[in-house]
């Protein structure tokens, strides 16, 4: 059967038109960004907002596709994927980055950031924060921003009424010499255990206590096997936005600026959502009958003074001269900001 020249022409024209529409709508710069948290948590909600705004502000040229809940692998796999260029970006907690960049382990130091959130943000955005972002340049990453992701608190099956009451207690930590020294400084011992074993370890008395943000304590139901909680806010949980350098450098400078500016614009709402999640979690913990107390300003200062020298030494041992420079920078910033 013969097809008329006119029909062929019409079909070809339609194909060209549709091709033009698809081409016009396709993003020039697409980034798959993976992270660990679930779709309902503040980090992912913030990332979706960033993706929407970046797409609008670049007229559709830059598109972020967000993959929560470890869809692109565990954090180590995602970090390596960014280095090798198999994915374009990830949002990684600092705690998962020490093996890639020892300098970032400064975030493990207890009481690193002030309790006051505005002062903490000043340090995060100041000379120390900028130096930490730059430290990734030689490690196969382009770090462009940080977001707060909550603060750690202490729980135990034994009272935590005074600093002396920590003596002799056993706390679970991640495998970090800095965190081990943190507890040694107040006469406690620290045992590195996999996170998946923590509930049963608390239940069976392998360890007396642990440290985590309130929402983690609630979601993992640690309150079922813990009697005491101290609102200490001692450990800062920080997220780093990491991109593959080749992908990042392919972007026009104005698009890079749009991305960074948008991340900073959305950050306060993410922190507010995270703070609300902490309040909601605290209500769950209190309802379960856990005895809750708050670390006083005086005890906070005393505990910081006890912990900081030992943990600082452990950090410098790991991060070397680069770590020494960052510590000096931090101490100068902290002294200036925290009057």
């Amino acid at each position: 059967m013969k097809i008329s020249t006119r029909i062929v022409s019409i079909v070809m024209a339609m194909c060209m038109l549709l091709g033009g529409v698809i081409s016009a709508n396709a993003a020039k710069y697409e980034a798959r960004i993976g992270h660990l948290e679930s779709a309902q948590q503040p980090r992912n909600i913030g990332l979706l907002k960033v993706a929407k705004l970046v797409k609008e502000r670049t007229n559709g040229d830059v598109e972020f596709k967000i993959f929560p809940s470890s869809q692109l692998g565990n954090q180590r796999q995602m970090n390596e994927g960014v280095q090798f260029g198999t994915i374009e970006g990830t949002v990684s907690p600092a705690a998962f980055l020490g093996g890639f960049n020892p300098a970032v382990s400064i975030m493990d130091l207890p009481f690193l950031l002030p309790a006051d959130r505005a002062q903490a943000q000043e340090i995060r955005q100041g000379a120390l924060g900028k130096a930490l972002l730059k430290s990734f340049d030689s490690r196969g990453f382009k770090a462009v921003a940080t977001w707060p992701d909550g603060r750690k608190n202490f729980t135990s099956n034994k009272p935590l009424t005074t600093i002396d009451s920590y003596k002799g207690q056993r706390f679970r930590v991640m495998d970090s010499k800095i965190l081990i020294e943190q507890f040694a400084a107040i006469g406690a011992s620290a045992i590195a255990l996999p996170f998946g074993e923590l509930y049963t370890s608390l239940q069976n008395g392998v360890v007396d206590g642990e440290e985590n943000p309130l929402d983690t304590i609630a979601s993992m139901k640690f309150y079922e096997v813990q009697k005491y909680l101290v609102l200490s806010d001692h450990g800062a949980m920080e997220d780093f936005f990491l991109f593959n350098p080749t992908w990042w450098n392919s972007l026009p400078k104005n698009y890079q600026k749009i991305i960074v500016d948008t991340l900073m614009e959305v950050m306060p709402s993410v922190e507010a959502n995270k703070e609300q999640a902490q309040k909601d979690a605290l209500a769950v913990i209190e309802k379960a009958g856990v005895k809750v107390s708050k670390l006083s300003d005086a005890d906070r200062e005393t505990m910081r003074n006890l912990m900081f020298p030992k943990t600082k030494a452990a950090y410098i041992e790991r991060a070397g001269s680069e770590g020494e420079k960052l510590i000096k920078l931090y101490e100068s910033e902290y002294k200036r900001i925290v009057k």
Side-chain angles (χ1 to χ4, degrees), residues 215-236:
D215 54 343
T216 301
I217 294 168
S219 65
M220 299 304 296
K221 299 187 185 299
F222 295 147
Y223 58 81
E224 294 179 343
V225 288
Q226 294 281 264
K227 296 178 181 177
Y228 302 93
L229 163 68
V230 175
L231 299 172
S232 55
D233 267 5
H234 66 277

Side-chain angles (χ1 to χ4, degrees), residues 153-289:
N153 301 276
F154 297 118
T155 69
S156 180
N157 275 318
K158 297 179 180 179
L160 300 171
T161 50
T162 67
I163 294 175
D164 284 341
S165 64
Y166 288 78
K167 291 179 179 177
Q169 293 200 41
R170 295 163 298 175
F171 289 85
R172 178 267 174 185
V173 293
M174 292 182 289
D175 191 7
S176 163
K177 187 174 181 182
I178 294 170
L179 297 179
I180 291 170
E181 291 295 340
Q182 166 188 286
F183 283 104
I186 52 175
S189 58
I191 301 173
L193 292 172
F195 186 70
E197 297 177 14
L198 180 51
Y199 185 97
T200 53
S201 296
L202 293 168
Q203 188 176 41
N204 298 329
V206 175
V207 289
D208 302 302
E210 55 85 49
E211 56 170 9
N212 264 302
L214 294 174
D215 54 343
T216 301
I217 294 168
S219 65
M220 299 304 296
K221 299 187 185 299
F222 295 147
Y223 58 81
E224 294 179 343
V225 288
Q226 294 281 264
K227 296 178 181 177
Y228 302 93
L229 163 68
V230 175
L231 299 172
S232 55
D233 267 5
H234 66 277
M237 307 290 284
E238 297 290 305
D239 283 342
F240 281 77
F241 286 82
L242 306 174
F243 287 101
N244 173 266
T246 301
W247 183 85
W248 180 260
N249 291 331
S250 73
L251 295 171
K253 295 293 184 184
N254 61 316
Y255 286 179
Q256 293 176 357
K257 185 176 187 304
I258 285 171
I259 292 169
V260 174
D261 288 350
T262 304
L263 285 168
M264 290 299 96
E265 177 186 326
V266 172
M267 187 275 292
S269 67
V270 173
E271 184 170 33
N273 287 342
K274 191 71 179 179
E275 294 289 342
Q276 185 59 51
Q278 305 306 300
K279 291 177 183 177
D280 295 343
L282 181 58
V284 171
I285 294 165
E286 288 179 321
K287 187 176 181 180

Side-chain angles (χ1 to χ4, degrees), residues 41-88:
Q41 290 181 297
R43 180 196 294 159
N44 193 68
I45 294 169
L47 282 172
L48 291 175
K49 187 173 181 179
V50 168
K52 179 177 181 292
L53 291 173
V54 166
K55 188 171 183 178
E56 289 173 357
R57 292 167 180 178
T58 61
N59 297 315
D61 282 353
V62 179
E63 183 174 3
F64 289 166
K65 293 188 175 180
I66 311 301
F67 295 87
S69 304
S70 304
Q71 292 179 45
L72 299 183
N74 63 35
Q75 193 59 65
R76 181 178 184 85
Q77 290 168 331
M78 287 188 284
N79 292 343
E80 290 174 343
V82 171
Q83 284 182 315
F84 300 145
T86 54
I87 63 174
E88 289 72 37

